[in-house]
């Protein structure tokens, strides 16, 4: 019996020393998916594949994460080259993330500031040492190993197209370029176009692609990483996955003392989207690239360039089309300025309309002009503009301009001022008149902006002038008829730059809600600038016009009508303009909101504008959408506008064919 027990014990000992017992445990698929996707970038620790490569070579993954360089050297002869390069890139990324982000913070410091200029303390602060910065050096090594994995390993990127590791290494590369680009920005601060630069132990040259020399005449004041930014009230962020990192270069505001800033209506974008890549010099061999101390950073305009040839193969470039637009809206304070111009007392002068370009001017892309409504600003277009920018097909053919104007002034005053501002802007960017962008533009207006837009593509003849002068005695009417100011406001022609128009929730025959008692009270609170009141008083005095006659055309106690006054169906403005014909042959479309679907369409409204007022006979299309007055914010309206623009593209292409 003792012998049998001993034999069994010996077998147990023998089995226990030679075999491991494997137990099967079922796990939720979601847990497995999360575990597979954790890496140095997403979870702050090595991915399973990197830990496996190190463990298989007898190296401790935790020790390697703390001291990557010895492990990278030891791993090379012990692992397949792709395993080695991918693991080396991830180890360097862990080291990059562990280092202080001094340079990155300096590069981003002014990007989200509201003030126009950096403080004296910021100007005098010592710049970080970019060449010796540990985080920058680790970022360069991350990018170097990732670049070698992507383009210099035995298999091509196309052969690994379905592998998760390739996508992971590309993310490592892009994140590292983000850090290197911000370091290069710091190294070149105050030196426009400086190259080469000493960055993280590299001699780094900079090459720009897709930018005109006139677009980059100033040094940016900050550089922001696009994909780390989040935006409230922006339904979607439109980006393109690809090679490189998407950034936003932030340029200084115009100084208030700059005379050009006051005299010119056009505003180039202050927030410029860029895409950056890094290529390491060498003879094309793996060892040469890994040893190279020189490299080139290519900076692309993502609106003009969407791919590049890297290491002999064409690859898509990363881009973010929403970040620059979102930062502009978040920091512009246009909504506050719009409301203050409407209600703030003691305004010295009205601000002139401004034309904001949402991307660098492109002579080969047609222009879409957006005109906002009452008490509003370009912020009213936040999702519509973002989705137009995010539509790849439309983005290739159009560029966006947004009009900002003071809605307290009369509609005729704003029509004349916006006409002048747009004319000056087209002439500035296309002085010879031969650009694609200088003609066949599309005009889009919402609410009161739609009324103004209709007048921008209409020919008044003398009809508005005659209707305005009916209230005056013949002598005064004749004197006023010869006044340049009066003629400028009441006699106008369609702007030649536009070939299509879209009107959204536009009260072409007035908004009934403006005559309700709450808005009548608000209309009384609206203030006009002193210069407008003074010019009006001088005009009346010069032409011997009395208060009774002025009252007949909508003046109250010598104050001319405001924009909200003009929107009343009973206003002189509406009576004199509602039947003005749109330029013959110009196609136009309407998008209408219907708030209460139980009502018949002809009796319905969007809560502010009746259907009968928004409807236009002769429209090429009319889309009625279940919505309140802010119909331009609805996905249905945006889809309809995108449809109209595709029709416009197709018809334009037909006309362009010889």
């Amino acid at each position: 019996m003792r012998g049998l027990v001993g034999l069994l014990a010996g077998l147990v000992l023998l089995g226990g020393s030679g075999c491991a017992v494997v137990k099967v445990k079922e796990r939720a698929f979601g847990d497995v998916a999360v575990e597979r996707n954790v890496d140095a970038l997403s979870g702050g620790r090595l991915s399973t594949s990197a830990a496996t490569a190190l463990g298989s070579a007898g190296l401790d993954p935790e020790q390697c994460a703390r001291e990557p360089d010895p492990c990278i050297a030891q791993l090379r002869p012990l692992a397949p080259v792709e395993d080695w390069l991918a693991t080396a890139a991830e180890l360097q990324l862990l080291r990059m993330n562990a280092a202080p982000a001094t340079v990155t913070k300096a590069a981003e410091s002014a990007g989200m500031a509201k003030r126009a200029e950096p403080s004296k303390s910021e100007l005098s602060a010592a710049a970080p040492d970019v060449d010796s910065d540990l985080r920058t050096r680790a970022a360069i090594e991350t990018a170097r190993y990732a670049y070698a994995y992507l383009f210099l390993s035995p298999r091509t990127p196309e052969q690994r197209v379905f592998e998760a590791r390739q996508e992971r290494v590309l993310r490592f590369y892009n994140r590292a370029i983000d850090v290197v680009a911000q370091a290069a920005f710091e190294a070149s601060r105050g030196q426009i176009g400086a190259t080469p630069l000493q960055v993280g132990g590299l001699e780094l040259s900079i090459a720009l692609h897709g930018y005109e020399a006139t677009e980059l005449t100033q040094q940016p004041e900050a550089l922001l990483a696009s994909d780390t930014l989040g935006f409230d009230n922006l339904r979607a962020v439109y980006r393109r996955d690809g090679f490189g990192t998407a950034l936003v270069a932030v340029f200084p505001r115009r100084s208030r003392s700059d005379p050009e800033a006051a005299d010119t209506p056009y505003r180039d974008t202050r927030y410029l989207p860029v895409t950056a890549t890094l290529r390491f010099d060498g003879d094309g061999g793996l060892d040469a690239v890994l040893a190279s101390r020189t490299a080139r950073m290519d900076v692309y305009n993502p609106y003009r360039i969407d791919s590049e040839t890297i290491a002999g193969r064409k690859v898509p470039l990363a881009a973010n089309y929403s970040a620059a637009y979102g930062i502009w809206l978040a920091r512009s304070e246009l909504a506050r300025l719009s409301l203050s111009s409407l209600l703030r007392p003691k305004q010295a002068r009205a601000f002139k309309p401004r034309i904001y370009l949402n991307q660098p001017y492109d002579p080969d892309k047609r222009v879409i002009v957006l005109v906002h409504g009452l008490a509003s600003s370009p912020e009213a277009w936040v999702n519509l503009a973002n989705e137009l920018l995010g539509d790849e097909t439309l983005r290739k053919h159009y560029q966006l301009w947004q009009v900002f104007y003071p809605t307290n002034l009369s509609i005729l005053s704003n029509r004349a001022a916006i006409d002048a501002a747009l004319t000056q802007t087209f002439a500035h960017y296309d002085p010879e008149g031969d650009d694609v962008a200088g003609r066949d533009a599309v005009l889009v207006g919402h609410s009161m902006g739609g009324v103004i837009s209709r007048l921008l593509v209409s020919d008044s003849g003398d009809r508005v002038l005659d209707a305005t002068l009916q209230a005056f005695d013949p002598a005064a009417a004749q004197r006023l008829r010869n006044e340049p100011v009066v003629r400028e406001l009441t006699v106008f022609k369609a702007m030649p730059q536009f070939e299509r128009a879209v009107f959204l929730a536009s009260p072409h025959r007035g908004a009934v809600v403006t005559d309700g008692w709450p808005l009548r009270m608000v209309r009384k609170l609206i203030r006009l600038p002193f210069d407008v009141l003074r010019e009006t008083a001088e005009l009346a005095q010069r032409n011997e016009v009395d208060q009774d006659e002025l009252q007949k055309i909508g003046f109250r106690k010598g104050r001319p009508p405001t924009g909200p006054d003009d929107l009343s169906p009973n206003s002189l403005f509406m009576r004199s303009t509602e039947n003005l014909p749109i330029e013959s042959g110009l196609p136009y479309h309407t998008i209408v909101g219907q708030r209460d679907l139980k009502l018949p369409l002809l009796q319905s409204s969007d809560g502010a504008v009746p259907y009968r007022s928004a409807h236009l006979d002769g429209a090429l299309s009319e889309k009625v959408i279940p919505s309140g007055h802010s119909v331009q914010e609805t996905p249905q309206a945006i889809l309809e506008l995108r449809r109209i623009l595709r029709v416009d593209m197709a018809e334009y292409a037909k006309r362009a064919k010889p």
Side-chain angles (χ1 to χ4, degrees), residues 525-536:
L525 297 176
I526 293 173
R527 298 292 182 262
L528 288 171
F530 291 146
D531 61 343
V532 173
L533 297 174
R534 184 183 64 252
E535 290 170 5
T536 303

Side-chain angles (χ1 to χ4, degrees), residues 223-410:
L223 195 65
L224 305 177
S226 297
D227 290 341
T228 62
L229 302 172
F231 301 96
D232 293 334
N233 301 319
L234 201 63
R235 274 199 295 261
V237 173
Y238 290 95
R239 57 170 62 91
R240 181 177 61 231
D241 293 330
F243 188 68
T245 188
L247 301 153
V248 178
V250 182
F251 289 85
R253 287 184 176 92
R254 286 183 171 189
S255 172
R256 293 182 179 179
S257 60
D258 180 2
E260 185 181 359
D263 294 338
T264 56
Y266 39 84
R267 299 289 189 273
D268 289 311
T269 179
R270 184 183 166 222
Y271 300 94
L272 191 67
V274 300
T275 298
T277 67
L278 185 65
R279 306 191 215 190
F280 295 88
D281 294 337
D283 59 5
L286 176 61
D287 289 328
V289 166
L290 294 179
S292 175
R293 307 319 301 169
T294 58
R296 188 181 84 192
M297 176 162 285
D298 293 286
V299 180
Y300 300 91
N301 179 347
Y303 285 111
R304 293 176 182 155
I305 300 175
D306 57 12
S307 63
E308 181 61 289
T309 300
I310 309 288
R313 50 183 48 86
K314 189 176 182 179
V315 298
L317 293 173
N320 188 313
Y321 297 102
S322 298
Y325 176 62
I327 297 170
W328 172 60
L329 285 180
R331 292 298 161 186
S332 65
E333 299 184 316
L334 296 177
R336 180 192 60 78
L337 178 57
S338 176
L339 286 175
S340 67
S341 70
L342 197 67
L343 300 172
R344 181 169 56 86
K346 299 181 179 179
Q347 301 174 44
R349 61 182 61 85
F351 71 83
K352 297 178 181 179
R354 303 170 190 170
I355 313 300
Y356 288 98
L357 278 64
N358 285 133
Q359 65 186 78
Y361 174 77
D362 191 325
D364 299 320
K365 290 182 181 179
R366 294 163 62 211
V367 174
I368 300 172
V369 175
L370 304 178
V371 187
H372 63 78
L374 176 66
S376 190
S377 74
E379 292 185 5
W381 302 108
V382 52
N383 285 299
L384 183 147
N386 182 48
E387 296 200 25
L388 294 184
L389 292 170
D391 187 309
E392 182 177 2
T393 301
L394 298 180
R395 191 172 59 242
K396 288 180 177 179
H397 293 86
Y398 297 100
Q399 56 193 314
L400 284 181
W401 294 2
Q402 298 204 44
V403 177
F404 181 42
Y405 64 98
T407 60
N408 57 336
L409 301 187
S410 72

Side-chain angles (χ1 to χ4, degrees), residues 473-622:
D473 69 66
Q478 186 58 44
R479 290 193 296 271
L480 288 169
R481 185 178 293 274
N482 296 324
E483 274 281 355
V485 173
V486 174
R487 298 194 68 85
E488 180 185 7
L489 295 179
T490 59
V491 180
F492 46 85
K493 293 183 178 296
M495 292 189 67
Q497 292 88 353
F498 294 107
E499 62 84 39
R500 189 178 298 267
V502 184
F503 311 111
L504 296 92
S506 301
H508 301 292
R509 298 170 189 83
V512 177
V513 71
T514 59
D515 284 345
W517 72 265
L519 283 181
R520 286 205 309 269
M521 297 299 295
V522 172
R523 283 162 57 185
K524 292 180 180 180
L525 297 176
I526 293 173
R527 298 292 182 262
L528 288 171
F530 291 146
D531 61 343
V532 173
L533 297 174
R534 184 183 64 252
E535 290 170 5
T536 303
E538 291 174 352
L539 176 67
Q541 184 178 13
R542 187 165 61 245
N543 290 279
E544 302 175 16
V545 177
D546 61 37
Q547 292 296 320
D548 291 339
E549 289 175 312
L550 290 175
Q551 190 170 347
K552 292 178 183 178
I553 62 170
F555 279 59
R556 293 200 304 270
K557 297 180 180 179
R559 189 199 79 169
T562 64
D565 292 333
D566 285 340
L567 291 177
S568 168
N570 301 313
S571 68
L572 172 63
F573 167 80
M574 280 298 167
R575 295 197 306 271
S576 62
T577 63
E578 63 181 354
N579 294 319
L580 285 182
I582 292 174
E583 181 183 20
S584 177
L586 185 141
Y588 56 94
H589 310 256
T590 61
I591 299 176
V592 180
Q594 184 178 8
R595 189 170 185 175
D596 187 349
L597 299 181
K598 296 177 182 178
L599 290 175
L601 182 60
L602 291 176
Q603 299 173 22
S604 68
S605 78
D606 61 18
V609 178
Y611 168 79
R612 292 179 183 273
S613 182
H615 170 79
L616 286 176
D617 290 335
L620 200 61
S621 67
E622 178 179 88

